[in-house]
Amino acid sequence: MASHLTRFDPVGPLSQMDPFRSFDSLFNAFDLLRPLRAFGSERIRMDVSETDQAFVVRADMPGVKKEDVKVSINGNEVTISADVSQEQEHKEGSSVWRERFQGQQYRSFTLPQQVDEEKASATCRDGVLELTLPKKPGSGGKQLTVQ
């Protein structure tokens, strides 16, 4: 007689629970009913790198005009937001379907060190926002030695 053991994880099914999964799958099943999403996703995708002098943030924001992008810095907290408007039109035979989206996308994050707001700079080219956020001198924190 063979013994079959199965690992039981009491939290497993709950950790994968997504109350909106069936709602999203409804829209995925009907391509025409799926709502437009800014940038093709819900979040602003970004990369953050660090040098000795500054943090460099590159955020993908395709289709957004640089006039619609706002960046705010408060100490070590940075917020990127953009007003987004998109319009799509589909024609099939004698049917025409149009959809418009207007809204705001934003992303907020905290850096490990204060930013020098006076020297910070932002450029937006080809749908990529690049922030150069110089570190504020003397705000790097202190490393304690455990005794």
Side-chain angles (χ1 to χ4, degrees):
M1 184 182 281
S3 174
H4 298 286
L5 296 177
T6 305
R7 172 170 273 173
F8 176 70
D9 183 6
V11 184
L14 293 177
S15 66
Q16 298 173 359
M17 191 173 101
D18 181 5
F20 299 107
R21 182 178 357 163
S22 60
F23 186 70
D24 281 342
S25 65
L26 172 69
F27 285 118
N28 290 336
F30 301 100
D31 192 38
L32 292 176
L33 298 177
R34 186 174 55 236
L36 287 172
R37 296 182 183 201
F39 316 137
S41 68
E42 294 87 15
R43 302 185 110 200
I44 297 173
R45 307 280 183 207
M46 62 181 206
D47 299 322
V48 180
S49 59
E50 180 180 10
T51 65
D52 290 338
Q53 297 82 22
F55 297 99
V56 178
V57 178
R58 293 176 54 97
D60 293 336
M61 303 177 80
V64 177
K65 297 178 216 162
K66 66 180 180 179
E67 298 84 29
D68 295 334
V69 177
K70 296 177 189 78
V71 178
S72 64
I73 303 168
N74 185 10
N76 63 341
E77 187 174 308
V78 180
T79 301
I80 301 170
S81 63
D83 293 322
V84 180
S85 63
Q86 290 182 342
E87 187 170 326
Q88 282 186 351
E89 181 176 319
H90 296 280
K91 292 182 182 181
E92 268 187 41
S94 62
S95 298
V96 176
W97 164 66
R98 291 182 191 193
E99 190 165 353
R100 286 163 297 289
F101 170 84
Q102 284 189 309
Q104 189 175 56
Q105 292 287 322
Y106 70 94
R107 180 97 185 247
S108 188
F109 55 96
T110 303
L111 296 169
Q113 192 170 345
Q114 299 274 328
V115 174
D116 189 350
E117 296 98 348
E118 301 299 318
K119 296 179 182 174
S121 65
T123 58
C124 191
R125 259 179 270 141
D126 300 326
V128 178
L129 173 69
E130 185 168 317
L131 305 175
T132 303
L133 307 170
K135 297 176 183 178
K136 195 174 262 189
S139 64
K142 181 180 177 182
Q143 183 85 19
L144 296 177
T145 303
V146 179
Q147 297 182 17

